[in-house]
Amino acid sequence: MRSLGVKAGFFGAEPWSETMRKEIEEKLHLLAIDIYGLTEIIGPGVASECEHQNGLHIFEDHFYPEVIDSKTGKALPDGEKGELVITTLTKEGSPLLRYRTRDITYLERSPCPCGRTSVRMHRVLGRTDDMLIIRGVNVFPSQIEEVILKVEGVEPHYQLVVERRDNLDELEVQVEMNEKLFSDEIKVLERTEKAIEAELYATLNIHTRVKLVEPKAIARSEGKAKRIIDKRTL
Ligand SMILES: [Zn+2]
């Protein structure tokens, strides 16, 4: 890869985490830039990071962004997480007014070292339709993925099972082991489960139960991943 001399790559679509970015940059020897877009608006090109990788500059001359509370529809101030809403300003064929993206992010207007003055959106934190509320805490699968990616011996394939026992939500995180860990002693597996639980607690502030599963046990999906099984009856 180094001999190709590729300087930068643009990555988008399914939320990719900071940990995955580091891995891509190390393995491909390039600057991995986050890009954002959606088919309904224009496809890729609504926003992109600059070389400082601190939020995606929105092309405000073409798109008017707002962040709203997805329940009330009210606009939120900069820095507050909510659903990104986009109005196209220059699109002529099929303009969209206050299009709800279902993507969760927040806006940031502090100056960027690159000199661009456009508003920046934080990398997409999740989707309004895949946000889980566990014991009152908002949990995004992307946060869990970020933790899992840091752990030795497991694959980035996981499934979340939510149940409610005695009126309390319980979250089980099933994580796939790689072949090497799978052939290891039970003691090692238990230690790994506990380590992931501790790391998840540090990130999410909720207790989870981590269960390691055999390699290839979790169904692969094409396109949007189906990672949540919610068994709660409310
Ligand atoms: Zn910048």
Side-chain angles (χ1 to χ4, degrees):
M1 274 309 295
R2 209 189 287 272
S3 67
L4 288 175
V6 176
K7 289 183 183 154
F10 290 86
F11 301 85
E14 285 287 304
W16 55 304
S17 56
E18 276 306 317
T19 322
M20 205 182 283
R21 184 210 297 269
K22 279 197 197 88
E23 204 175 322
I24 291 171
E25 291 191 329
E26 274 162 25
K27 288 189 173 156
L28 302 185
H29 308 286
L30 49 73
L31 189 72
I33 298 282
D34 197 6
I35 190 168
Y36 175 78
L38 54 166
T39 312
E40 300 89 319
I41 302 287
I42 188 185
V46 172
S48 174
E49 282 179 338
C50 62
E51 67 275 29
H52 297 281
Q53 300 173 313
N54 60 351
L56 294 86
H57 289 279
I58 297 178
F59 297 101
E60 282 181 284
D61 40 353
H62 296 288
F63 312 106
Y64 181 77
E66 294 168 273
V67 167
I68 64 161
D69 178 319
S70 58
K71 287 206 181 71
T72 64
K74 289 222 165 73
L76 294 171
D78 293 346
E80 269 186 46
K81 283 179 211 163
E83 182 179 346
L84 179 67
V85 171
I86 295 173
T87 295
T88 62
L89 300 174
T90 51
K91 208 174 171 194
E92 292 181 6
S94 48
L96 286 165
L97 295 179
R98 303 200 80 206
Y99 181 76
R100 293 184 62 163
T101 64
R102 307 225 172 270
D103 289 323
I104 295 171
T105 184
Y106 59 86
L107 299 177
E108 154 97 68
R109 281 173 218 272
S110 64
C112 182
C114 75
R116 291 177 184 87
T117 53
S118 53
V119 63
R120 302 192 305 282
M121 60 182 270
H122 188 270
R123 67 156 59 237
V124 173
L125 293 156
R127 306 261 307 158
T128 54
D129 36 13
D130 72 10
M131 185 181 84
L132 274 169
I133 301 176
I134 308 287
R135 300 190 185 190
V137 177
N138 295 353
V139 175
F140 296 104
S142 56
Q143 294 176 292
I144 293 174
E145 182 166 325
E146 183 132 3
V147 168
I148 293 170
L149 277 164
K150 288 183 203 154
V151 179
E152 198 69 35
V154 300
E155 298 288 328
H157 298 294
Y158 61 94
Q159 196 148 48
L160 311 176
V161 183
V162 197
E163 277 181 280
R164 182 160 287 187
R165 285 200 194 100
D166 304 327
N167 285 317
L168 283 176
D169 300 326
E170 292 195 356
L171 175 61
E172 181 176 274
V173 181
Q174 300 174 350
V175 188
E176 229 178 72
M177 296 176 260
N178 64 19
E179 296 286 348
K180 190 168 166 283
L181 184 64
F182 184 49
S183 61
D184 222 322
E185 292 171 56
I186 297 283
K187 244 190 333 201
V188 180
L189 305 191
E190 284 175 353
R191 213 185 301 142
T192 307
E193 286 176 342
K194 291 280 165 272
I196 301 175
E197 282 171 6
E199 198 57 44
L200 284 172
Y201 183 74
T203 306
L204 306 170
N205 224 353
I206 52 163
H207 289 288
T208 55
R209 192 171 56 242
V210 170
K211 194 173 136 198
L212 292 174
V213 297
E214 288 175 33
K216 309 261 183 307
I218 289 168
R220 306 291 191 263
S221 58
E222 283 167 27
K224 295 271 170 215
K226 178 108 190 85
R227 295 208 163 104
I228 303 167
I229 300 170
D230 201 336
K231 294 179 176 170
R232 289 177 291 189
T233 41
L234 303 175

